[in-house]
Amino acid sequence: MSISERIREVFKLKGGILRLVPNWIPRAFNRPGHRLRLHPDDYFFLGTNRGAIKERWFCSITAAINGPLAPEDEGLSKIALSDKYEDTAYFKDAMEFLGEELIGEELYEKYGAWPMFCKFFDYDAPLFHHLHLSNKDAAKIGHFGKPEAYYFPPQLNNHPGSFPVTYFGYDPDVDREEVRRRTLAYDAGDNRITELSRGYRLELGTGWYTPPGVVHAPGSLLTYEPQWNSDVCAVYENVVQGEVFGRDQLVSSLPDNEKGDIDAIMGMMDWEANIDPHYRKKYFLPKLPIDTGTDDYSESWITYRNPYFAAKETVVPPGRSAVIRDEAAYGCIFVQGYGTFGEFDDAETPQLVRHNQLSGDEYFVSENAAKAGVRVTNKSRFEDMVILRHFGPNAGAPVNV
């Protein structure tokens, strides 16, 4: 049986829902937060030269831009074809074989593929002050731009890391020329660029939206991040808690003829968004409860107020069962509890996962299955079942709230 036939067989057998395999991503910088529920012995399973595992990606058809040692398929999610860890296929191939059967006619006709992915990032120290490119700038190097959003799940933040504060943009009183001077001095010493920024202490159970072109230094909470299909950035902070980042990190997303051009480097910033005096009012995302019309489950929008992607938190109380309907395809990750999810009677939040082990916590639901409704049952007598669900741009999330 061909791989396409096997994918279709599993897709049909499971009612249009696919189980995904844990997708672990190393990064050479920073320190791991150890909140991914990965076994402590496995954080360096790819070798110390690759760095520790600090991220887990969900429903990704995007390869990670992760240096010369990274294999070409790093970052690409896989689906489980059986209960054997080796018996898998790329989610990207399932996307190509199933097309609009998987993601629906609207997304398939507009994008030709699933247009977003999601991740947990888990760093003990804050990240560098950096930005993600707009579509216009990313197109120069053959990539998409990268809007992104954050949500801070209480279930995965048993400790806050070393600095649970995120810097966004620059203080409204900061002059563009001052930022330019510090960027020109990138190689001369610590440019201390966050002295010009604004810090916000992070709140569990809330989130933020970050548009392209806004410089930001994410704090040290484990973060659930829906984003567009891209992994490009430019790093404007050269020393973070003693860790040094070279000029190549600043200019790696520029074409070769612009790498030495300070105007091109500064031009990647959306200056007005960076100094917006009402930044929190515009981009902070408290939960927005959704009226489900039943006590069998509750929902809230946790990512909204943007035209690219959305996310919901779904909670099923102990012993309850509910049919959850949506108008669009979605990926999801369980962060608490266990029970059934559609045709899968072994859905569960793991306590500890080995790097070469399947799990029962990640799924992708096709548009038809979402519209028909997915029955979810919480088998616990005591504990809520909590699922984070990530959507593309057609989920109907509120934009102007």
Side-chain angles (χ1 to χ4, degrees):
M1 185 181 294
S2 69
I3 191 67
S4 61
E5 290 172 328
R6 292 209 59 208
I7 289 171
R8 186 169 293 281
E9 179 184 60
V10 169
F11 183 70
K12 183 178 180 180
L13 180 67
K14 295 300 184 179
I17 302 176
L18 299 172
R19 189 204 302 270
L20 279 78
V21 179
N23 184 10
W24 309 109
I25 308 297
R27 298 293 192 186
F29 52 84
N30 210 303
R31 306 186 298 268
H34 295 279
R35 292 165 294 196
L36 289 171
R37 295 179 172 145
L38 178 64
H39 193 285
D41 291 347
D42 289 349
Y43 273 85
F44 289 94
F45 77 86
L46 291 171
T48 55
N49 59 343
R50 296 299 319 282
I53 300 299
K54 302 183 185 79
E55 301 181 8
R56 179 180 169 183
W57 289 15
F58 310 121
C59 60
S60 168
I61 63 170
T62 300
I65 299 177
N66 221 5
L69 299 179
E72 290 184 359
D73 66 348
E74 189 159 273
L76 299 181
S77 292
K78 294 180 180 180
I79 63 171
L81 297 175
S82 70
D83 289 340
K84 296 180 180 179
Y85 179 77
E86 299 80 11
D87 191 16
T88 63
Y90 288 109
F91 177 64
K92 184 176 183 178
D93 289 342
M95 173 66 257
E96 292 176 356
F97 292 142
L98 296 171
E100 63 182 57
E101 290 182 72
L102 187 62
I103 64 172
E105 181 179 354
E106 179 184 351
L107 293 184
Y108 190 71
E109 287 189 356
K110 187 169 184 179
Y111 302 106
W114 180 241
M116 62 86 69
F117 70 100
C118 198
K119 68 176 67 160
F120 287 151
F121 66 80
D122 177 35
Y123 295 84
D124 181 66
L127 287 175
F128 34 66
H129 212 220
H130 68 285
L131 62 74
H132 299 293
L133 278 62
S134 66
N135 280 326
K136 179 181 177 181
D137 288 327
K140 296 178 183 178
I141 56 170
H143 289 269
F144 296 117
K146 187 190 172 188
E148 62 187 23
Y150 316 127
Y151 175 72
F152 312 113
Q155 296 84 0
L156 288 159
N157 277 292
N158 57 301
H159 71 85
S162 63
F163 194 72
V165 175
T166 292
Y167 290 99
F168 290 109
Y170 299 105
D171 187 273
D173 293 331
V174 167
D175 184 84
R176 184 184 179 97
E177 187 57 34
E178 192 170 4
V179 176
R180 181 187 178 95
R181 287 197 300 270
R182 300 232 184 174
T183 306
L184 282 168
Y186 199 93
D187 300 317
D190 187 348
N191 69 3
R192 303 194 325 219
I193 197 75
T194 53
E195 291 176 347
L196 307 181
S197 188
R198 295 168 287 186
Y200 297 88
R201 183 163 182 134
L202 303 178
E203 304 172 51
L204 293 179
T206 71
W208 293 81
Y209 171 64
T210 303
V214 170
V215 188
H216 55 289
S220 57
L221 291 184
L222 180 139
T223 302
Y224 169 77
E225 180 187 309
Q227 63 162 86
W228 207 241
N229 275 344
S230 181
D231 193 33
V232 291
C233 76
V235 178
Y236 286 76
E237 184 178 14
N238 60 352
V239 181
V240 185
Q241 293 198 350
E243 186 175 11
V244 177
F245 296 89
R247 172 167 285 272
D248 58 319
Q249 301 285 335
L250 172 64
V251 301
S252 62
S253 293
L254 286 169
D256 288 343
N257 65 334
E258 294 183 358
K259 291 184 185 296
D261 185 348
I262 185 60
D263 291 328
I265 293 170
M266 293 293 294
M268 288 187 284
M269 297 182 193
D270 180 341
W271 184 251
E272 294 306 315
N274 274 282
I275 61 169
D276 189 332
H278 303 293
Y279 194 90
R280 186 181 188 278
K281 181 178 180 180
K282 187 175 292 185
Y283 298 118
F284 177 65
L285 301 176
K287 286 184 185 178
L288 285 183
I290 300 168
D291 183 5
T292 64
T294 177
D295 293 331
D296 290 335
Y297 75 104
S298 61
E299 283 196 321
S300 298
W301 290 109
I302 55 175
T303 296
Y304 52 96
R305 205 182 284 162
N306 78 84
Y308 303 102
F309 41 71
K312 293 179 180 180
E313 178 193 67
T314 300
V315 180
V316 182
R320 297 293 185 91
S321 182
V323 176
I324 300 170
R325 291 183 174 86
D326 295 273
E327 291 302 308
Y330 60 89
C332 65
I333 179 74
F334 281 64
V335 295
Q336 185 177 339
Y338 73 99
T340 67
F341 187 74
E343 297 295 323
F344 293 89
D345 60 4
D346 53 359
E348 62 182 10
T349 305
Q351 296 303 306
L352 203 62
V353 183
R354 300 306 303 248
H355 77 272
N356 58 353
Q357 180 182 347
L358 295 178
S359 64
D361 60 342
E362 183 185 357
Y363 301 89
F364 190 88
V365 178
S366 67
E367 183 176 284
N368 285 338
K371 288 180 175 180
V374 178
R375 178 164 289 280
V376 183
T377 301
N378 184 349
K379 291 185 176 181
S380 173
R381 293 170 54 202
F382 310 105
E383 186 178 23
D384 285 341
M385 174 186 284
V386 182
I387 313 168
L388 305 182
R389 304 193 294 131
H390 27 279
F391 298 80
N394 61 336
V399 175
N400 299 312
V401 293

